[in-house]
Amino acid sequence: MLEERKDVIGYTEELTADKPAWLKERLEWFQDQKFGLILHWGPYSHWDCCESWPLSPGDYWARNDNMKCWTSRDKDLARFQRDYWALNQEFNPSKYNPEIWADLAQQAGIRYVALTTKHHDGFCMWDTATTDYKLTGPESPNPVDAFKGLCDAFQAKGMAISAYFSKADWHSPDYWSPDYPVVDRQANTQGKSEWDRFVAFTHEQIRELMTNYGKIDILWLDAGWVKPEQGEDIDMPGMVAMARELQPGLIVANRTVGDDFEDFITPEHQIPDEPLDQPWESCLCMGGSWKYETHDEPRPIEEILTMLIDIVSKGGNFLVGFGPSPEGEFPPLFVNRLKEIGQWMAINGQAIHGTRAIAPYREGETRFTKKGSTVNAFLLDPKVTELTALTPAEGAALHLLGHEDPVSYERTKNGIQFELPAAVDNLPYPPVLFFKYA
């Protein structure tokens, strides 16, 4: 399969030569998915702060005077931490219905989902035996295994699971011990006996996630500062070997670390300017925040689709994110946006899923993808009537997705000139042409 893609941007044999054959195949599968959803959900959804980060003494950027939850606590970090970690006592996802989530995601053409099983604050969204600081814990008003519900619902629809997991845990006394000063996001137990306990604790949590929830396709590890170079060695080789024994074919994203366990890279809040030479996934918010915000609004549908097309044309996956409400519902404006995405994907999804980048990936405002011998041209400017970089093979027809009859065109010195049918006005923007490519 790899040998057939020598002309595809993003494939270099040298960069994949040291990977085992099974992992190459799994990364090809990953690159076929193209569109994923990441959901930041936890007790922090009750407050007007970002998830976890204001807890860290050194991360001043995460605490500002616009946060009511910060100013109402007199900007007292100790008080803020105490009240934040008590939010589990009011976190009540009484309206959580993962089947509804899965329906909406499937309709939007999303192929895989990531849930924050545990963010840096240490709160666990699954029924772990390692701590009581969890949604199924004794202080929870509604003890439900949110991760199991999500896995069951999405797996039932054939969608893949990407388990987000923070390698840091600021709630654990073996990571931030009360016996030593906490000055930044790093562990204060490095080189001490507590650190050994934390490593065992982390491995056991990963074992649970890989054991009790059906097929897990991706282990998406956050907190890139947890690495040997920073004095925080959690024995990645041993942990990943254990995880893959339980979940054969598991892909790992040890994000931002750059080690042997970062199977794909995860640009955050950005889209690369050019195609990359390895598997990648751009992580961007659908609105203004990763988590639930009462007044947050999604980006316009045209912007989201342009982002999706731009990422896919460069050979990447688009991981779009927003947060469910504390009660467990997708915000109505985001539900509407998912439905709008679905209307476009119902017609044009075949030009997204299973495709690869092809040189050149763009011509002006037009973007290209390739699947087999077919090239797709996304007309981000529908007024375009010419293609020069990539054109149909001799004698091949030109088609418009969502329209039955071929599109008329004629060859010119530089390429082809075409005329879109009037029916294009009834199709969702942007329209997509496709043709057999020589």
Side-chain angles (χ1 to χ4, degrees):
M1 182 160 58
L2 292 173
E3 286 71 15
E4 297 171 1
R5 293 181 173 149
K6 300 289 186 180
D7 62 330
V8 176
I9 298 172
Y11 168 68
T12 58
E13 190 171 6
E14 293 76 14
L15 288 174
T16 60
D18 60 342
K19 296 185 183 299
W22 71 263
L23 183 52
K24 293 181 185 179
E25 292 179 5
R26 288 294 290 159
L27 289 172
E28 289 291 327
W29 166 86
F30 173 72
Q31 292 174 95
D32 284 342
Q33 308 311 302
K34 293 305 177 195
F35 197 19
L37 174 66
I38 185 168
L39 301 168
H40 281 70
W41 193 35
Y44 46 73
S45 59
H46 282 282
W47 275 7
D48 64 337
C49 66
C50 64
E51 57 291 334
S52 296
W53 287 106
L55 295 169
S56 170
D59 285 284
Y60 305 100
W61 61 269
R63 300 182 294 275
N64 61 71
D65 292 344
N66 294 324
M67 288 167 40
K68 182 179 179 181
C69 60
W70 172 242
T71 56
S72 65
R73 286 161 180 79
D74 302 320
K75 304 180 184 178
D76 182 335
L77 181 57
R79 181 183 175 191
F80 178 92
Q81 291 173 334
R82 181 198 67 202
D83 292 350
Y84 180 106
W85 272 312
L87 285 170
N88 66 309
Q89 299 173 32
E90 58 183 287
F91 183 44
N92 182 5
S94 57
K95 298 180 181 179
Y96 177 44
N97 188 329
E99 286 77 18
I100 293 177
W101 293 10
D103 282 341
L104 288 166
Q106 186 178 55
Q107 291 170 26
I110 287 164
R111 291 288 182 87
Y112 62 104
V113 62
L115 177 72
T116 48
T117 64
K118 184 181 76 169
H119 209 262
H120 316 323
D121 59 10
F123 186 78
C124 298
M125 297 291 286
W126 79 97
D127 188 24
T128 178
T130 62
T131 177
D132 283 341
Y133 194 59
K134 58 183 178 178
L135 188 50
T136 57
E139 295 182 325
S140 175
N142 186 5
V144 57
D145 189 328
F147 188 55
K148 180 168 177 52
L150 178 131
C151 289
D152 288 348
F154 280 75
Q155 289 162 348
K157 292 188 173 295
M159 285 182 276
I161 302 297
S162 176
Y164 172 107
F165 180 89
S166 173
K167 295 176 294 183
D169 189 324
W170 296 334
H171 187 266
S172 169
D174 291 325
Y175 192 87
W176 273 0
S177 171
D179 297 332
Y180 319 115
V182 176
V183 297
D184 56 24
R185 65 180 68 175
Q186 302 278 166
N188 65 357
T189 57
Q190 299 176 15
K192 301 179 173 66
S193 60
E194 292 95 335
W195 180 256
D196 294 334
R197 289 200 300 267
F198 181 73
V199 172
F201 167 83
T202 302
H203 283 226
E204 184 56 30
Q205 289 196 329
I206 295 296
R207 183 184 302 277
E208 290 177 342
L209 291 170
M210 298 296 109
T211 301
N212 301 324
Y213 298 94
K215 179 159 180 59
I216 306 298
D217 297 276
I218 301 163
L219 178 58
W220 208 86
L221 299 172
D222 205 359
W225 65 89
V226 179
K227 56 185 177 180
E229 295 86 343
Q230 296 288 343
E232 299 189 22
D233 187 347
I234 60 168
D235 181 19
M236 281 292 296
M239 190 175 80
V240 171
M242 173 265 293
R244 283 178 168 159
E245 182 177 354
L246 295 169
Q247 292 287 344
L250 182 73
I251 300 170
V252 179
N254 194 26
R255 60 189 312 260
T256 75
V257 175
D259 62 6
D260 291 341
F261 304 104
E262 193 169 3
D263 293 334
F264 62 92
I265 60 174
T266 54
E268 184 174 355
H269 295 310
Q270 62 177 308
I271 300 173
D273 293 334
E274 302 289 338
L276 303 181
D277 58 7
Q278 57 190 298
W280 58 282
E281 171 191 74
S282 263
C283 317
L284 298 114
C285 300
M286 184 177 284
S289 172
W290 288 122
K291 61 172 281 290
Y292 176 78
E293 298 285 352
T294 306
H295 302 295
D296 196 12
E297 295 186 2
R299 302 172 193 257
I301 180 62
E302 295 82 5
E303 181 179 356
I304 294 173
L305 291 176
T306 297
M307 291 162 62
L308 172 64
I309 292 164
D310 193 35
I311 290 167
V312 172
S313 72
K314 295 172 183 173
N317 286 14
F318 182 17
L319 187 66
V320 66
F322 62 88
S325 72
E327 296 77 25
E329 295 182 302
F330 284 180
L333 292 177
F334 290 80
V335 169
N336 291 340
R337 193 65 80 243
L338 286 171
K339 290 180 178 179
E340 290 175 330
I341 295 170
Q343 291 169 0
W344 186 85
M345 289 289 281
I347 294 172
N348 301 296
Q350 69 187 64
I352 297 290
H353 299 129
T355 63
R356 295 293 184 274
I358 181 170
Y361 70 93
R362 66 178 296 172
E363 176 183 334
E365 292 304 306
T366 299
R367 302 291 189 274
F368 300 104
T369 63
K370 176 187 176 184
K371 183 188 294 182
S373 61
T374 297
V375 165
N376 308 289
F378 300 83
L379 305 181
L380 296 180
D381 180 358
K383 296 188 295 295
V384 168
T385 60
E386 185 179 32
L387 293 177
T388 60
L390 297 170
T391 59
E394 192 65 36
L398 180 66
H399 293 275
L400 176 69
L401 285 174
H403 182 64
E404 184 175 352
D405 297 328
V407 175
S408 61
Y409 74 92
E410 61 181 31
R411 294 197 179 272
T412 65
K413 181 174 67 174
N414 296 321
I416 65 166
Q417 194 82 26
F418 62 88
E419 181 178 355
L420 291 176
V424 72
D425 295 333
N426 298 320
L427 296 175
Y429 168 90
V432 182
L433 294 169
F434 70 100
F435 52 88
K436 183 178 179 181
Y437 175 63

